[in-house]
Amino acid sequence: MSKTQETGALTEAIYYILLAVHTPLHGYGIMQYVSEISNERVRLGPGTLYGAINNMLAKGWIESVQTPVDDRKKEYMITSLGREVVQKEITRLEELLKNGRKIARGE
C-alpha cells in the first residue's frame, strides 16, 4: 500500500474515477468523463485506468457490472464502501482548503 493510501489521501486519478462511476461506465467512458469534468487537465491512459480499476476492485470500492446491451463490455459502479471513501476525501480536501485560505490570508 502506498504512503498516500495509508494516510487516506486519494490520488487525483482514483478520486476522479470514483466520481465517474457513480453511474455505470466502461473504461473508455471513464476516461472521457474524467477528461470532461477536469476540463481536459486530467487524461487517463489505459495503463493508469486499468491499474486503478484493478486496485479499487480488490479493495471493494467499485464492482464490475454486466451491460444489458453487450455482455463482453464490463462496466464499473461505485460501491457503498467507495462512496464512503469519496466522502472522506471530500472532507479532507475541504479541511485543506479551509486551512490554506486561513493561513494565506494571515488569519
Side-chain angles (χ1 to χ4, degrees):
M1 185 178 289
S2 76
K3 188 76 173 170
T4 302
Q5 290 169 326
E6 290 173 4
T7 61
L10 301 179
T11 65
E12 196 169 22
I14 296 283
Y15 179 72
Y16 274 126
I17 293 168
L18 286 172
L19 292 179
V21 295
H22 273 69
T23 58
L25 275 178
H26 52 76
Y28 184 67
I30 294 169
M31 288 192 288
Q32 289 179 311
Y33 183 86
V34 169
S35 178
E36 181 183 324
I37 65 171
S38 68
N39 294 319
E40 299 187 11
R41 187 179 56 78
V42 178
R43 293 178 179 233
L44 301 173
T48 300
L49 175 67
Y50 288 104
I53 284 174
N54 287 332
N55 187 12
M56 290 187 286
L57 284 169
K59 291 179 176 180
W61 295 358
I62 64 172
E63 60 189 359
S64 66
V65 293
Q66 292 295 320
T67 64
V69 178
D70 184 353
D71 62 356
R72 293 174 300 169
K73 275 189 174 177
K74 274 189 188 172
E75 289 186 336
Y76 302 94
M77 180 79 183
I78 194 167
T79 63
S80 59
L81 178 58
R83 289 178 189 271
E84 287 177 30
V85 169
V86 168
Q87 191 53 55
K88 285 181 183 175
E89 181 67 359
I90 290 169
T91 300
R92 187 187 73 80
L93 293 170
E94 287 172 341
E95 178 188 312
L96 286 174
L97 284 173
K98 178 181 144 198
N99 289 334
R101 288 180 176 140
K102 183 177 173 182
I103 291 170
R105 290 180 190 141
E107 298 175 4

